[in-house]
Amino acid sequence: MVSAQTTIINATGLHARPASAFVMEAKKHACDITIKDVDKDAAPSNAKSIMMILAAGLGCGTKVEVTCDGEGEQEALDAIIALIDSGFGETE
């Protein structure tokens, strides 16, 4: 199991389009992937479920922890963190 923390930087957070891109990237990987708001005492959300990602309400400035467990976990973690850090193409 591997995990890393980062901050959501795009102005609209994980709304519909970035959430969709996030889930599509997560589904490319065989391992289990979760994301959670570091500052809230909430259960991690399944990164492969668009409904769970939207329900998590991860907005701009939210510090998140992504955890990957299973086959290809490091590759999956690197890809997900890079996607979040890129601002989903929404930052200037």
Side-chain angles (χ1 to χ4, degrees):
M1 179 174 5
V2 295
S3 65
Q5 293 184 0
T6 192
T7 301
I8 296 174
I9 60 171
N10 56 309
T12 55
L14 285 182
H15 67 87
R17 193 197 64 76
S20 177
F22 182 88
V23 170
M24 286 189 326
E25 180 61 40
K27 286 183 174 183
K28 292 178 185 176
H29 305 278
C31 61
D32 294 328
I33 305 172
T34 60
I35 185 169
K36 73 173 191 169
D37 185 333
V38 173
D39 297 325
K40 289 185 179 175
D41 188 26
S45 298
N46 179 352
K48 296 180 181 182
S49 167
I50 188 74
M51 296 306 290
M52 295 292 289
I53 297 303
L54 292 172
L58 303 171
C60 182
T62 303
K63 187 173 184 179
V64 295
E65 181 175 49
V66 177
T67 302
C68 301
D69 186 22
E71 180 183 341
E73 60 191 20
Q74 188 62 56
E75 178 185 336
L77 181 65
D78 293 344
I80 294 288
I81 294 296
L83 182 62
I84 294 169
D85 289 349
S86 77
F88 299 90
E90 295 184 348
T91 59
E92 297 177 0

